[in-house]
Amino acid sequence: MPATAQNNVQDTTPKVSEDTAHLDDPEAPGAPISVPDSNDHGEGGKLKMIIQLVKRSLGVKDLAAMRISLPASLLEPMPNLEYWGYLDRPDLFLAINDREDPLERMLSVLRFAFSKDLKFVKGKVCKAYNSVLGEHFRAYFDVPSNAIAYKSKDSSEALEFSWHLDENEEEASHLTSITAPTIRVKSPSSASLSVKSVKEPPMLSDHHYAESSPNLQRPVSTHESSYAPSTIEAEESTSAPHSRVLFLTEQVCHHPPISSFHFECSEKGVEGCGVDQIAARITGTTLKVGPGSQNKGIFLKITKGHGTGETYWITHPTACVNGILRGSFYATITESTMITCIGPAGEKLRAIIEYKDEPWLGAPRFLLEGVIYKYTEGSEQESWNKVKQVPKDLVVATFEGCWRKVITWKKTSYPLLDMSPLAVVPKQVRPLDEQLPNESRKLWEGVTSNLLKKEWSEATRIKQVIEQKQRDIAAERRRKNQPFVPVYFESDISSGAPTLTDEGRKVMEDMARYSPAARMSNAAIGS
């Protein structure tokens, strides 16, 4: 049944001071770190609020485990579950099992790993809404069959992309330079912690307004939002050969914030899953963000075809958010990512991506180097996390470059991936009238619409209503001694690779069958 629309949020909850709200929520780790709304919503006012937040966060071991209460004017108009995801290029996810050679599959997984956070390359970091317990988000991508073209039988030539390209990039930047790009930070529009494109975005339908894409933005409107998918999107979903990638994520814990996610394409025999939990702390003027204790990484599984039975385990590096005191945020990466192939008997490959430390003086360079090597499961080789630890006789290939631009690999010197021409692929989401009350866009609709209209006070009020309702529900569960049970994922996430419940599997099957064009046609007949 379609969920009923909630156009107005009535504040019927008792007023609770931020200083005492934690008393209603014993699971919360103390009083929240809060910043009062200065009522100055210009860039200078926002920057002052951010500096206040930094000062109050100094000395906190893990900011992610704390409750942080921010005025709505500092939030990006997007739910957290929608923002966090690793399918910025679903075409590269589909490509991981295209090749028969194990080395080619590892190179494909590396391309996916470099592209999964493309939004931080093309845009800026942002602070989305804190997810509430039991909230979920679902989306899909219809990837054209010709999205990627192979110009050679191996990876000696660069892939050719034809889908969702970044029109801001100059043609010359698509060539083979590994020079680090200039950071395009415009002060202080980023004081709102937003992901924006340098180019003025096209005006699309409400269906697309909150996509995790720096190229898309919902137009501000005083009319009631419809969120219906655009006609163009519906036609693209059905008129050309394509493969559908499905994505589902659910908030499974509130303190600390933890979500489980799953994405797949059964047609291609590829799927991925993981647990999202971050640990964050302020170091000097930098926010360091790494994986939390339950976050073991991303697990890519191949269920049929060339790599049947293989699992690629991708660990997370540490990210640093810089430029906080200037209100011009940009991300750098440090430490290492390991990609380990686990699976059937035979020679195994493992890759190390080592991100280079940035210089103290001068512009960041965003450089990396890496190695692919033969390894034996269960040996000390699995503990290596630096390129120099790998003996030359085990090396299969090496790679280097700039993770914001061009990365090359070599037995000689071949292009592995050029990030320059790629744009973040927008998610396709059902319209609001088909969503459940605890789906992310439906849940936060009132906050989002008011932020887009710059009605900051009303957005903050509705946000507080949602948060207080969350505390009331938690208190009622405690009173009845009823633990929270996720709907779409099994409760046990200790392995880091969550399992879908029967209900979660049903949601994936429903998304696989979903047709925007058919819905629009039925609506037209009904009218």
Side-chain angles (χ1 to χ4, degrees):
M1 293 288 291
T4 56
Q6 296 176 342
N7 297 323
N8 299 304
V9 177
Q10 300 297 326
D11 191 354
T12 58
T13 57
K15 302 298 181 183
V16 178
S17 165
E18 290 292 355
D19 295 329
T20 60
H22 67 289
L23 300 177
D24 288 348
D25 189 355
E27 297 176 359
I33 299 173
S34 62
V35 176
D37 195 336
S38 67
N39 293 318
D40 177 3
H41 299 124
E43 302 303 346
K46 291 179 180 179
L47 185 55
K48 288 179 183 178
M49 287 189 282
I50 291 171
I51 293 174
Q52 285 185 51
L53 176 63
V54 172
K55 288 180 178 179
R56 297 182 184 191
S57 302
L58 294 175
V60 177
K61 290 184 179 180
D62 185 3
L63 282 171
M66 299 295 294
R67 280 189 55 218
I68 298 179
S69 179
L70 297 179
S73 58
L74 290 183
L75 301 178
E76 181 73 4
M78 182 184 297
N80 192 60
L81 292 181
E82 177 172 359
Y83 178 69
W84 282 106
Y86 304 103
L87 285 172
D88 286 352
R89 294 300 306 192
D91 48 349
L92 286 171
F93 166 64
L94 290 182
I96 64 176
N97 195 30
D98 281 354
R99 300 299 183 92
E100 184 176 355
D101 180 32
L103 174 59
E104 291 290 333
R105 289 198 296 278
M106 177 59 81
L107 292 173
S108 295
V109 173
L110 278 167
R111 293 188 187 100
F112 165 81
F114 289 128
S115 70
K116 65 183 174 60
D117 293 313
L118 184 62
K119 55 182 162 289
F120 299 125
V121 175
K122 298 297 180 174
K124 300 173 186 177
V125 293
C126 83
K127 176 66 178 77
Y129 317 140
N130 291 334
S131 302
V132 303
L133 191 62
E135 177 184 342
H136 76 282
F137 177 76
R138 60 181 90 170
Y140 63 93
F141 306 84
D142 285 334
V143 183
S145 300
N146 61 351
I148 296 177
Y150 297 94
K151 295 191 288 185
S152 63
K153 293 183 178 180
D154 55 21
S155 292
S156 58
E157 294 188 61
L159 302 183
E160 192 171 276
F161 296 89
S162 61
W163 189 54
H164 287 285
L165 303 182
D166 186 354
E167 297 177 1
N168 295 317
E169 293 290 339
E170 298 178 0
E171 189 66 28
S173 69
H174 301 175
L175 302 180
T176 54
S177 167
I178 62 170
T179 304
T182 302
I183 305 177
R184 297 178 291 190
V185 286
K186 294 174 64 180
S187 179
S189 62
S190 54
S192 61
L193 303 181
S194 65
V195 177
K196 300 293 181 194
S197 170
V198 175
K199 182 183 177 184
E200 183 67 23
M203 305 299 272
L204 298 183
S205 74
D206 288 341
H207 176 62
H208 294 286
Y209 83 95
E211 309 297 2
S212 301
S213 169
N215 301 318
L216 299 177
Q217 177 181 340
R218 177 182 182 268
V220 176
S221 171
T222 57
H223 301 289
E224 181 180 349
S225 58
S226 63
Y227 293 83
S230 69
T231 303
I232 294 175
E233 187 67 30
E235 289 176 352
E236 288 178 348
S237 299
T238 57
S239 61
H242 65 273
S243 297
R244 178 166 290 188
V245 178
L246 311 175
F247 173 67
L248 175 64
T249 180
E250 180 181 17
Q251 192 76 8
V252 298
C253 183
H254 192 54
H255 297 303
I258 300 175
S259 60
S260 295
F261 63 88
H262 179 95
F263 50 90
E264 67 176 46
C265 178
S266 57
E267 174 191 345
K268 292 282 190 175
V270 290
E271 60 184 56
C273 66
V275 172
D276 257 340
Q277 179 196 7
I278 63 171
R281 69 184 187 278
I282 296 285
T283 303
T285 59
T286 298
L287 175 65
K288 282 196 168 183
V289 181
S293 60
Q294 297 293 331
N295 187 339
K296 306 296 194 301
I298 303 171
F299 297 84
L300 300 182
K301 301 177 183 179
I302 300 178
T303 60
K304 67 181 181 182
H306 302 305
T308 300
E310 290 179 344
T311 295
Y312 291 85
W313 176 21
I314 306 172
T315 65
H316 294 294
T318 296
C320 299
V321 180
N322 308 274
I324 294 176
L325 297 185
R326 297 194 306 272
S328 298
F329 306 101
Y330 65 93
T332 57
I333 304 178
T334 186
E335 300 179 2
S336 299
T337 287
M338 277 68 71
I339 303 178
T340 306
C341 179
I342 306 167
E347 184 176 272
K348 301 291 191 303
L349 295 179
R350 190 171 188 262
I352 298 173
I353 307 170
E354 187 176 342
Y355 295 94
K356 296 301 183 181
D357 291 335
E358 299 295 350
W360 285 97
L361 299 175
R365 297 176 296 171
F366 312 110
L367 299 181
L368 62 83
E369 67 173 338
V371 62
I372 302 172
Y373 66 94
K374 295 177 286 187
Y375 87 102
T376 303
E377 288 189 59
S379 69
E380 67 168 337
Q381 299 169 7
E382 292 184 347
S383 66
W384 295 343
N385 58 13
K386 299 289 185 183
V387 171
K388 65 182 181 182
Q389 292 177 286
V390 181
K392 290 185 177 180
D393 61 328
L394 295 180
V395 173
V396 176
T398 61
F399 51 93
E400 63 180 2
C402 166
W403 57 265
R404 294 175 63 100
K405 282 286 186 178
V406 179
I407 303 162
T408 59
W409 75 282
K410 58 184 177 183
K411 290 180 180 179
T412 56
S413 182
Y414 299 141
L416 179 60
L417 182 63
D418 183 356
M419 305 283 279
S420 306
L422 303 183
V424 177
V425 178
K427 301 175 179 71
Q428 294 167 262
V429 182
R430 295 163 16 263
L432 278 184
D433 62 3
E434 294 186 20
Q435 293 187 22
L436 298 175
N438 64 339
E439 281 192 65
S440 294
R441 287 194 184 180
K442 184 76 170 183
L443 178 66
W444 296 98
E445 177 193 7
V447 180
T448 300
S449 60
N450 279 285
L451 285 179
L452 292 169
K453 292 184 292 187
K454 299 186 178 180
E455 298 287 349
W456 313 117
S457 297
E458 182 64 7
T460 298
R461 184 191 71 80
I462 296 174
K463 171 177 170 287
Q464 291 173 344
V465 171
I466 295 172
E467 291 169 343
Q468 182 58 40
K469 183 177 180 181
Q470 164 77 10
R471 288 190 284 268
D472 293 343
I473 293 173
E476 182 65 12
R477 274 199 305 268
R478 287 192 300 274
R479 188 183 69 80
K480 296 181 177 179
N481 196 27
Q482 293 178 342
F484 171 77
V485 178
V487 176
Y488 305 110
F489 292 88
E490 298 291 350
S491 297
D492 184 3
I493 56 174
S494 57
S495 69
T499 303
L500 288 172
T501 61
D502 290 343
E503 190 64 26
R505 174 51 54 194
K506 181 178 180 297
V507 165
M508 302 298 278
E509 293 170 353
D510 288 345
M511 278 197 291
R513 293 190 297 265
Y514 183 76
S515 171
R519 177 189 179 275
M520 294 173 68
S521 176
N522 292 336
I525 293 173
S527 61

